[in-house]
Structure formats: structure tokens, C-alpha cells
Amino acid sequence: MRKLTYFVAVSVDGFIGDESGDGTMFMQFVDEEFLGFLKEEYPETISTEGRKMLGLDGFANKKYDTVLQGRRSYQVGIDAGFLSPYGHLREYVLTRSLTKSPHPHVELIHDDVVAKVRELKAEEGDLGIWLCGGAQLAGLLADEIDELVIKTYPLVLGAGMPMFAGRSHALTHFGLEENRTFGNGVVVRRYGRKS
């Protein structure tokens, strides 16, 4: 069974963005050391355009072959003019408002995202599924998440979009499996589902 991993940027106080969902303030911490880590360990989480700029076009995906986004997360790419922001992966967007995909490579999911994720997890293959965001989608899929990779940036936002929104009950426990600290203050922790 393939894993669903919530690989997400977060502030020290647990927000993935400001109240509008904007997380661009985290980009100031993408320095040479941290970018080297992403290129080596998680190259598929760098956008297709970013991969081109960094000369990573030919890099193989190491962890994921599929990305799942909420509508608001996908809008960030649309606003930047990238209708297929992760064209090197299979792209799925959960949406109620888009009736037609803006790009032939992006498949829209209009209902029963849990069933779709279970279908994707049941596929054959060694690579997993990356839950890119956002908070509502993470809340909806919390019981399906097998792994958390949390990139904690040394900022306190005070308010904003939480990692999980719309959850009415506690999450299952996760165990810390890896912890890495960078010179710029970023900490990346990887957790696996315990039960």
C-alpha cells in the first residue's frame, strides 16, 4: 500500500500561512543549504518551473509520483501563471468551484476525495502520494495520512491557517522518525503514523 504524506511548511506556532492561506513568507528561508536538502531528498516537491530554473529537469522523483492539492493551494499556481505547477507528477485538485480543469494534466476531484485517495493508495508502486495542501483538505484526509513531513520555519505568525482545519476529533498518534535542523533555523521533522 502506498503512503499519503502531508509534506507542509509551517510556522513555529503551527500555521501554514496567514489568514488568507498565503505562505510566501516562508520563502525567505530557502537558502543554499535548505535548497540542497530539498533537491537531494524531495526534488519532486519543487515546482516544475523551479526545477527548470535549478537544472533539475532530469531528476527522478524520489518519494512521490502523485500530488494532491486543495483548490486554494492550486490557485497559487494559477495566479503565477502555472496551470500545471507540478507537471512532473500526477496532479489532482479537490474543488467544488472549478468545473473544467484549466490544464489537461490536472485532474479535478469534485466529491468523495477519501475514496479517491484510498484508490490511489491501493495502486502498485514504490512512490507515494504528496498532500501539498491545504488545511481543509488535510482535515478531511487526516485519517488517511500515513506520514507527516513538517518543515518548521522560525517565524511566529500569531494567527492564520492551521495545519488541519475542520477536524472535530483528535488525530491518531504519530512517532518521530527523523529530525533535521538547518543553519537558518528551519527544522524538518518526519513522523510516521503509530496507530
Side-chain angles (χ1 to χ4, degrees):
M1 171 106 34
R2 293 169 4 115
K3 286 186 198 175
L4 176 64
T5 301
Y6 189 21
F7 181 92
V8 64
V10 65
S11 65
V12 172
D13 53 345
F15 297 108
I16 63 174
D18 64 17
E19 289 162 344
S20 73
D22 181 9
T24 56
M25 74 286 292
F26 299 136
M27 293 303 293
Q28 66 184 298
F29 297 100
V30 182
D31 62 9
E32 188 174 331
E33 179 192 19
F34 187 62
L35 185 57
F37 165 75
L38 292 176
K39 286 165 50 174
E40 180 63 30
E41 297 294 324
Y42 297 95
E44 60 271 51
T45 65
I46 299 171
S47 71
T48 300
E49 285 302 311
R51 288 166 63 104
K52 286 179 190 172
M53 289 175 15
L54 296 168
L56 301 176
D57 279 348
F59 274 49
N61 295 332
K62 291 191 168 190
K63 307 256 195 283
Y64 318 114
D65 64 10
T66 304
V67 63
L68 186 62
Q69 294 182 277
R71 171 69 173 92
R72 286 172 53 176
S73 294
Y74 179 55
Q75 188 64 44
V76 173
I78 290 174
D79 290 346
F82 307 126
L83 303 182
S84 177
Y86 299 102
H88 51 283
L89 300 169
R90 289 188 302 168
E91 296 177 280
Y92 294 92
V93 174
L94 176 67
T95 179
R96 290 185 191 94
S97 60
L98 289 176
T99 56
K100 184 174 187 272
S101 177
H103 192 279
H105 189 259
V106 176
E107 184 176 326
L108 304 181
I109 303 170
H110 293 104
D111 48 45
D112 207 352
V113 69
V114 173
K116 182 62 176 183
V117 166
R118 289 178 179 164
E119 177 186 313
L120 292 169
K121 287 172 73 171
E123 292 177 347
E124 293 292 321
D126 296 327
L127 298 179
I129 305 149
W130 168 32
L131 173 56
C132 179
Q136 291 291 332
L137 185 55
L140 182 64
L141 293 174
D143 293 333
E144 298 299 321
I145 295 171
D146 303 295
E147 183 177 63
L148 299 168
V149 178
I150 302 171
K151 302 172 293 175
T152 304
Y153 293 91
L155 288 176
V156 174
L157 298 183
M161 187 173 288
M163 282 180 56
F164 294 90
R167 290 282 297 168
S168 60
H169 60 281
L171 291 175
T172 304
H173 288 95
F174 286 81
L176 181 64
E177 296 180 354
E178 187 177 352
N179 186 32
R180 179 148 180 201
T181 304
F182 297 86
N184 62 6
V186 174
V187 177
V188 177
R189 293 165 297 169
R190 184 171 57 84
Y191 297 88
R193 181 180 285 276
K194 288 179 74 170
S195 58

